[in-house]
Amino acid sequence: MKKELMIFLGIFLFLAIGMHFKEWISHPIEHIMALPDAGAYGLGPFHPLIITFVLYAFIGLIRGIAKLFSK
């Protein structure tokens, strides 16, 4: 469980920094405070968690398929 949480958080940080690098460098607190007003892709303030979960599920699918073929 701890390993999976670390993978999820790693994906979250990778996406957050990758997509909003300039904002994290120049004004990170204002960027976080503006999250309730975010409307990215029509997902609203939960878009970081939703997008991270989708990528986590995709990576989990790939890991599951690789595990099936490794046996």
Side-chain angles (χ1 to χ4, degrees):
M1 181 72 169
K2 187 175 179 181
K3 178 183 173 185
E4 296 301 318
L5 181 61
M6 293 306 294
I7 292 171
F8 187 84
L9 289 175
I11 293 170
F12 179 82
L13 289 175
F14 177 76
L15 289 175
I17 293 171
M19 296 299 293
H20 303 288
F21 184 74
K22 189 183 346 175
E23 290 83 0
W24 283 108
I25 297 299
S26 63
H27 52 278
I29 301 299
E30 290 87 6
H31 188 67
I32 293 171
M33 296 302 287
L35 193 56
D37 299 325
Y41 309 110
L43 300 174
F46 296 108
H47 76 273
L49 294 175
I50 294 169
I51 294 170
T52 302
F53 179 76
V54 168
L55 187 61
Y56 175 76
F58 180 71
I59 291 172
L61 180 66
I62 292 172
R63 287 172 55 200
I65 291 170
K67 193 173 186 178
L68 281 174
F69 284 115
S70 69
K71 287 186 176 182

